[in-house]
């Protein structure tokens, strides 16, 4: 996660370029302390509208994406996320959520590429609300004819998948890639993008989601609940490790001698480090073995959000939406994601129900 860029920035008066009279308050999901979503999230009916800084836009959020990263920040777990700048004792960001799709309402000083009325998607601060602030370069025009619920599902999971496939694994046509967690938020994008790069994709997921992973374009699907991955005897040019927290030695045995392991994430790895120790060990070991072992934190940038838009516009990428919850059910949506029940993505609809 890109912690620095999500921190609130110094406030300054925006240029008065509103598309019309805006309300002074909004409906928003807020939290004052870390904890389980059901315990700490509540709906505020009269939350003040956020103020934009220079280089930012105020957007009217129509839909907001929910992902594991949001759960981590709501829970304050692993504790690493607190040290990373999201608040030690209590959350710095009162309104959770980052991914959004909606409309630009107001632009701040120095914004040149966006204007009020533009239909956009991207990464904001506090997207679990009717209005949110976003820096200009994390906001892109919505893909053609894509409903906001689908556009809001794309940004963070999509750019993580894109960067994992393109920049970290550097997949080439004809290479064999194993995607652990192909049915999840990141994996459902990574499976499609790896296929688009011409790789032969083996997706790993649980029984109920196998059909969906096949429909995403995976050439082979392995059900991790029915035996070991080693049973197939296959070796891969690259592994994207998005779920399951397998040991480095198990993953290395599945790789070819010059293969690349890219650790994206994995849950249930402890409250303190949340699996970052495994990522650190991979990076420390990498110079001493023939395989390349990498872990990475996705970079939130508009260029890659625009690249995802292009993929969607050209029909090569489609977000998979499992469920859309109304904004007031944000805690149920976050818990649904945290329990691992979603196939693909979960989204909030901010319209009053
Ligand atoms: N590095 C970064 O910058 C970055 C960015 C975004 C997310 N992440 C991290 O990446 C991880 C995945 O995020 P997500 O949003 O995709 O989560 P998600 O939607 O919950 O998906 C998790 C995936 O892991 C699979 N899985 C669970 N247990 C498994 C096992 N034993 N073997 C193989 N697969 C297993 C799940 O399959 P079933 O559902 O079929 O069981 C599902 O496909 C999280 O830890 C998240 O924090 C990292």
């Amino acid at each position: 996660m890109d912690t620095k860029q999500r921190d609130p920035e110094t406030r300054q008066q925006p240029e008065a370029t509103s598309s019309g009279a805006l309300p002074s308050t909004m409906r928003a999901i807020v939290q004052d302390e870390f904890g389980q979503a059901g315990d700490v999230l509540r709906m505020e009916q009269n939350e003040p509208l956020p103020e934009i800084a220079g280089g930012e836009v105020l957007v009217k959020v129509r839909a907001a994406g929910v992902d594991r990263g949001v759960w981590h920040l709501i829970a304050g777990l692993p504790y690493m996320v607190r040290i990373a700048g999201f608040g030690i004792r209590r959350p710095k960001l009162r309104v959770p959520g980052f991914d959004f799709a909606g409309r630009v309402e107001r632009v701040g000083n120095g914004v040149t590429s966006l204007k009020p009325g533009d239909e956009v998607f991207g990464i904001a601060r506090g997207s679990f609300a009717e209005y949110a602030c976003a820096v200009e370069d994390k906001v892109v025009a919505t893909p053609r004819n894509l409903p906001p619920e689908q556009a809001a599902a794309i940004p963070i999971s999509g750019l993580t998948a894109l960067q994992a496939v393109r920049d970290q694994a550097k997949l080439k046509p004809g290479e064999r890639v194993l995607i652990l967690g192909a049915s999840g938020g990141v994996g459902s994008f990574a499976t499609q993008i790896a296929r688009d790069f011409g790789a032969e994709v083996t997706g790993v997921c649980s029984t109920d989601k196998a059909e969906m992973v096949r429909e995403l374009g995976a050439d082979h699907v392995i059900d991790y609940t029915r035996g070991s991955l080693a049973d197939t005897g296959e070796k891969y040019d690259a592994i994207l490790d998005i779920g399951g927290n397998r040991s480095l030695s198990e993953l290395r045995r599945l790789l070819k001698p010059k293969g690349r392991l890219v650790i994206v994430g994995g849950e249930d790895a402890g409250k303190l480090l949340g699996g970052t120790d495994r990522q650190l060990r991979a990076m420390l070991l990498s110079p001493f073995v023939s395989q390349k072992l990498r872990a990475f934190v996705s970079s939130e940038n508009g260029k890659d959000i625009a690249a995802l838009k292009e993929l969607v516009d050209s029909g090569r990428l489609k977000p998979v939406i499992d469920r859309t919850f109304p904004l007031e059910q944000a805690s149920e949506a976050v818990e649904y994601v945290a329990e691992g029940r979603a196939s693909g993505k979960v989204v909030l609809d901010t319209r009053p129900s």
Side-chain angles (χ1 to χ4, degrees), residues 125-137:
R125 277 196 314 277
S127 63
F128 288 11
E130 289 178 311
Y131 294 87
C133 292
V135 294
E136 178 184 17
D137 63 8

Side-chain angles (χ1 to χ4, degrees), residues 1 68 72 160 181-187 204-206 209 224 242-244 246 264-267 296-298 340:
M1 272 174 294
R68 289 239 172 219
H72 284 296
T160 303
S183 56
V186 177
V204 180
C205 62
S206 57
K209 301 178 185 174
Y224 68 79
I242 308 171
R246 284 175 176 74
V264 177
E267 300 299 314
F296 87 113
V297 176
S298 59

Side-chain angles (χ1 to χ4, degrees), residues 60-65 99-103 120-122 142 147-152:
K60 185 163 182 10
V61 179
R62 174 52 182 76
D99 287 346
F100 81 94
R103 188 180 64 220
V120 292
F121 77 124
T142 307
E149 292 84 357
Q150 292 194 32

Side-chain angles (χ1 to χ4, degrees), residues 112-181:
T112 55
S113 64
L114 299 166
K115 59 181 187 321
D118 288 350
E119 296 291 334
V120 292
F121 77 124
I123 299 170
R125 277 196 314 277
S127 63
F128 288 11
E130 289 178 311
Y131 294 87
C133 292
V135 294
E136 178 184 17
D137 63 8
K138 294 186 188 177
V139 177
V140 167
T142 307
R144 273 193 305 277
N145 305 325
L146 196 70
E149 292 84 357
Q150 292 194 32
I154 298 173
I156 292 178
S157 298
L159 60 79
T160 303
L162 177 65
Q163 291 163 14
V165 168
R166 182 193 63 193
D167 308 334
Q168 303 294 325
K170 299 183 199 300
L171 279 183
K172 295 184 207 66
E175 286 194 318
R176 298 172 62 85
V177 60
L178 181 72
I179 302 183
L180 295 152

Side-chain angles (χ1 to χ4, degrees), residues 52-334:
I52 50 174
E56 292 188 340
V57 295
L58 180 73
V59 292
K60 185 163 182 10
V61 179
R62 174 52 182 76
V66 182
D67 65 33
R68 289 239 172 219
V70 171
W71 175 82
H72 284 296
L73 297 185
I74 291 169
L77 293 173
Y79 294 124
M80 283 283 288
V81 304
R82 304 190 191 199
I83 297 161
F86 289 98
I88 299 291
R89 299 176 71 106
R90 53 191 73 251
K92 270 194 188 168
L93 301 176
R94 179 172 154 85
V95 180
F98 299 104
D99 287 346
F100 81 94
R103 188 180 64 220
V104 175
E105 288 293 340
R106 189 178 272 174
V107 302
N109 292 334
V111 171
T112 55
S113 64
L114 299 166
K115 59 181 187 321
D118 288 350
E119 296 291 334
V120 292
F121 77 124
I123 299 170
R125 277 196 314 277
S127 63
F128 288 11
E130 289 178 311
Y131 294 87
C133 292
V135 294
E136 178 184 17
D137 63 8
K138 294 186 188 177
V139 177
V140 167
T142 307
R144 273 193 305 277
N145 305 325
L146 196 70
E149 292 84 357
Q150 292 194 32
I154 298 173
I156 292 178
S157 298
L159 60 79
T160 303
L162 177 65
Q163 291 163 14
V165 168
R166 182 193 63 193
D167 308 334
Q168 303 294 325
K170 299 183 199 300
L171 279 183
K172 295 184 207 66
E175 286 194 318
R176 298 172 62 85
V177 60
L178 181 72
I179 302 183
L180 295 152
S183 56
V186 177
S188 58
F189 288 108
T191 301
Q192 297 179 71
I193 295 170
R195 280 289 289 137
D196 189 63
F197 271 59
E200 182 179 331
V201 177
T202 301
V204 180
C205 62
S206 57
T207 316
D208 291 350
K209 301 178 185 174
E211 193 47 43
M212 174 252 203
V213 172
R214 253 179 229 108
E215 283 169 12
L216 291 173
D219 300 281
H220 318 278
V221 178
I222 300 176
D223 178 349
Y224 68 79
T225 67
R226 298 187 179 169
S228 153
L229 299 179
D231 291 348
T232 63
E234 297 290 350
K235 301 277 184 193
Y236 299 91
D237 297 291
I239 297 176
L240 304 188
D241 181 28
I242 308 171
N245 265 322
R246 284 175 176 74
S247 69
L248 289 181
S249 51
E250 181 181 353
L251 295 169
R252 287 189 58 211
R253 281 195 295 275
L254 295 165
L255 268 184
K256 290 181 181 173
K258 299 245 178 223
R260 289 95 69 197
L261 167 65
V262 178
I263 302 179
V264 177
E267 300 299 314
D268 303 325
K271 282 188 169 183
L272 182 62
L273 298 170
T276 45
D277 52 329
R278 188 174 67 117
Q279 304 184 356
L280 189 64
R281 277 187 282 113
M283 291 190 289
L284 290 173
L285 181 62
S286 190
F288 303 102
V289 296
S290 62
Q291 298 157 332
K292 286 203 164 50
L293 314 177
R294 300 188 174 126
F296 87 113
V297 176
S298 59
S299 143
E300 295 173 0
N301 65 80
K303 221 170 121 218
D304 283 348
I305 300 174
L308 293 163
K309 167 186 160 53
E310 291 301 321
L311 287 172
V312 175
D313 279 339
S314 59
R316 289 142 66 205
L317 184 69
K318 194 173 182 327
V320 178
I321 312 299
D322 178 306
R323 275 185 72 176
T324 302
F325 291 77
L327 182 62
E328 35 279 278
Q329 287 178 19
S331 60
E332 286 90 329
V334 171

